[in-house]
Amino acid sequence: MTPIHILRFCQSYAVLILIAVLMATMTLLSDSFLTGANLLNILNQNAPLAIMASAMTLVIIAGGFDLSVGSTFAVGAVCSAWVALNVDPYLGLLLAPVVGLTLGLMNGVVITALNVHSFLATIATSLIFKGIAVVISDGRLIPVRMDEFTWLGRGKVGGVFLSVWVMIAFALILSFVLTRTSFGRKVLAVGGNQDAAILSGIRADRIKIMTFALAGMAAGLASALATSRISMGQASAGSGFELQAIAAVILGGTSIYGGVGAVWRSVAGVMLLALINNGFNILNADPFYRDLTTGLIILAAIGISSVGKKAH
């Protein structure tokens, strides 16, 4: 293999290489890291974020950005908890993804109808959604201590949390949609060159609306899992999730400019961020260094990606 081949390999699989290095380092530094309980715990805690990052992948591939998914998560959480408490717990869990889908559709329609950049539009809608969450919850916590509500976030199948199975299923479905369906090909085409896609008969606006609707639905589903696990809905839920999801997608190697990417990369990006977090918790290290390390690793991933592009 020539140096160029090695560089391309490192660029393509940078996120997996970083995960392997981190896992090896953590295993040497701590006995409690490489245990089934700890690894399952990491998967369970990060399942909601992985679901959101999976859907965010399609938004970014299509050339968009969604900075409102954290607020969509908050609306899903308080709606889910309120309905579970006052109407029916099963309906509450079912409602969160529907609410998320509706808010995502609103995002898509606003962006395409007003022809504004998704970055700016979703900053505005995130403030509106956050306000809605505060109004619904009246700024209070909504505790839901019912087994009919908490089974989704706390239940296990085959010794693995249900939320992990949901995450795996969701990521596999979106991977299939992106790589094996005409919708997936259109998402890649719109992100690669929107004008060419429109000329070839693709309705770019419709594709974009659908990616934002998916991102909203994913945030709603994630909020149902998380709210069910902690048995509480609150308007502050999901704060910062939008930036973590975008960081995971970029860290995984999906291009910020659109047109290329993969769902598995974003899930790997989430797991890389989770391993950093978990490692610092186990080692009882200063949280400042955690943020510093996370930032440096994201910079390194972006650097490897851009160097790889120049080598092509």
Side-chain angles (χ1 to χ4, degrees), residues 192-247:
N193 187 331
Q194 187 171 319
D195 295 336
I198 292 167
L199 286 172
S200 69
I202 294 170
R203 292 182 172 181
D205 282 357
R206 184 179 286 184
I207 296 298
K208 284 186 174 177
I209 289 170
M210 287 169 79
T211 61
F212 280 98
L214 266 174
M217 188 190 78
L221 175 61
S223 75
L225 291 172
T227 309
S228 167
R229 191 178 86 225
I230 63 168
S231 66
M232 190 178 292
Q234 57 196 82
S236 61
S239 183
F241 265 22
E242 62 286 345
L243 295 178
Q244 286 182 51
I246 291 170

Side-chain angles (χ1 to χ4, degrees), residues 44-68:
N44 186 39
Q45 284 181 345
N46 291 280
L49 184 60
I51 287 168
M52 289 164 75
S54 296
M56 182 71 80
T57 312
L58 272 69
V59 173
I60 290 176
I61 288 173
F65 261 103
D66 192 346
L67 289 174
S68 71

Side-chain angles (χ1 to χ4, degrees), residues 145-194:
R145 295 186 180 87
M146 307 179 200
D147 289 343
E148 297 89 346
F149 187 77
T150 56
W151 64 271
L152 184 64
R154 296 180 185 177
K156 288 184 178 184
V157 173
V160 177
F161 287 99
L162 270 172
S163 52
V164 177
W165 291 119
V166 173
M167 171 195 81
I168 292 167
F170 191 80
L172 286 174
I173 290 166
L174 278 195
S175 288
F176 179 82
V177 166
L178 185 61
T179 56
R180 295 274 186 273
T181 66
S182 66
F183 170 69
R185 286 190 288 278
K186 286 172 184 173
V187 168
L188 289 158
V190 168
N193 187 331
Q194 187 171 319

Side-chain angles (χ1 to χ4, degrees), residues 74-136:
V75 177
V78 295
C79 283
S80 179
W82 192 91
V83 170
L85 204 58
N86 296 294
V87 186
D88 180 80
Y90 293 106
L91 184 64
L93 290 173
L94 192 64
L95 187 67
V98 177
V99 166
L101 180 71
T102 308
L103 298 181
L105 273 171
M106 281 170 56
N107 270 337
V109 170
V110 165
I111 289 157
T112 51
L114 299 180
N115 197 20
V116 287
H117 196 285
S118 53
F119 193 86
L120 300 172
T122 56
I123 286 176
T125 56
S126 77
L127 295 171
I128 295 166
F129 298 163
K130 183 64 87 177
I132 292 169
V134 171
V135 168
I136 293 168

